[in-house]
Amino acid sequence: MTTAAPNARALVHPAREEIRLEGVLHALADPLRLLVVRELASEDAELTCSHFELPITKSTTTHHFRVLREAGLVQQVYRGTAKVNVLRRADLDALFPGLLDSVLAAAAGQADRLGDA
Amino acid sequence: MTTAAPNARALVHPAREEIRLEGVLHALADPLRLLVVRELASEDAELTCSHFELPITKSTTTHHFRVLREAGLVQQVYRGTAKVNVLRRADLDALFPGLLDSVLAAAAGQADRLGDA
DNA sequence: CCTCTCGTACGATAAGCATCGTACTACGGA
DNA sequence: TCCGTAGTACGATGCTTATCGTACGAGAGG
């Protein structure tokens, strides 16, 4: 009632203060999840889960996005049958200043170095 | 022969270019390992494994230090019966500029916030 | 209403990992 | 030479995690 659509299925997110560094690092330590975060950051847009072409099945994709959500890295909202993802940049920058940017830069640098797009 | 002590037992380290971001993040995602890295960074000194008072047995300690070494976070050298650890700051800063510092700052901030020393 | 697409739930499986205990090696000092 | 301290090796154990397949639910569009 307070804000926005009442029709959306519920989706649990940690509050800003509940986000733990270890959880964030663990979430980012997986290559696929790191890729997702990189793409979310570079596009700075709302991307549906299905937008990402990951070499895994749908169920595994669901799993990875849940990890990202529960770690506090992304905010997810249902839009129709799709689920859109947004990076929680403000929360992360407030809690861990510079962390996200340096991880993204490191990932970009390494991708460059290794030539994997 | 080339450099230093020939009597030291061998200890495998990844070369700078072999250090992978995912490995670094994974190593840092463990609370105990993060603690060790924080202490190594703050003291900026060579600390033996036994210097750390971790709530785990010796074998588990060995395990964690191996993870740190193999991820490229610390350099380890035997000194007598002891093994001294040094943060590979130069290598990490060269590969992933700003990453280590922001992780350390984030860890300090979180420790502050949660009041766990 | 039917059907397509998107995503979930659940169970299974296999791999990884943190942890321990015990037995062992290596070095240094008495 | 003998002992103590630092760390390792190895095997076991139990937890977590990445992965899949199949069956299901929820919207959108005809």
Side-chain angles (χ1 to χ4, degrees):
Chain A
M1 257 182 206
T2 29
T3 44
N7 57 314
R9 282 161 276 173
L11 230 20
V12 187
H13 292 81
R16 173 184 291 191
E17 327 79 53
E18 288 168 348
I19 298 178
R20 300 281 272 114
L21 177 59
E22 298 87 334
V24 170
L25 294 177
H26 172 246
L28 292 174
D30 180 278
L32 292 182
R33 291 193 293 255
L34 181 54
L35 202 106
V36 167
V37 169
R38 285 183 63 199
E39 198 160 337
L40 280 173
S42 75
E43 313 245 351
D44 195 21
E46 307 182 332
L47 300 178
T48 68
C49 293
S50 58
H51 164 271
F52 300 88
E53 303 205 342
L54 304 173
I56 49 176
T57 64
K58 285 196 299 174
S59 355
T60 308
T61 302
T62 297
H63 162 67
H64 283 303
F65 275 99
R66 177 168 41 225
V67 172
L68 286 174
R69 185 185 73 241
E70 291 178 347
L73 274 160
V74 304
Q75 171 105 39
Q76 303 186 307
V77 181
Y78 285 104
R79 176 122 70 222
T81 84
K83 189 160 69 168
V84 297
N85 300 271
V86 188
L87 240 196
R88 295 181 63 175
R89 218 179 228 296
D91 289 321
L92 294 167
D93 284 346
L95 274 176
F96 312 126
L99 179 61
L100 187 57
D101 283 331
S102 55
V103 171
L104 290 171
Q110 175 171 289
D112 242 44
R113 216 176 308 123
L114 303 182
D116 61 14
Chain B
M1 257 179 205
T2 30
T3 44
N7 57 315
R9 285 162 273 173
L11 230 23
V12 188
H13 291 81
R16 174 184 291 191
E17 327 80 54
E18 288 168 348
I19 299 178
R20 302 279 273 113
L21 176 60
E22 299 87 333
V24 169
L25 293 177
H26 173 245
L28 292 173
D30 181 278
L32 292 182
R33 291 194 293 254
L34 181 55
L35 202 106
V36 166
V37 168
R38 287 222 291 150
E39 198 159 337
L40 281 172
S42 76
E43 313 246 350
D44 196 19
E46 307 183 333
L47 300 178
T48 69
C49 292
S50 59
H51 165 270
F52 300 88
E53 303 205 340
L54 304 173
I56 50 176
T57 64
K58 284 197 300 175
S59 359
T60 307
T61 303
T62 297
H63 162 68
H64 283 304
F65 274 99
R66 176 166 43 223
V67 172
L68 287 174
R69 186 186 71 241
E70 292 179 346
L73 274 159
V74 304
Q75 171 105 39
Q76 302 187 307
V77 180
Y78 283 105
R79 174 122 70 224
T81 83
K83 189 161 70 169
V84 297
N85 301 270
V86 189
L87 238 196
R88 296 181 63 175
R89 216 180 231 294
D91 288 321
L92 294 167
D93 285 346
L95 273 176
F96 311 126
L99 179 62
L100 187 58
D101 283 331
S102 56
V103 171
L104 291 170
Q110 175 171 289
D112 241 44
R113 217 175 308 124
L114 303 182
D116 60 13

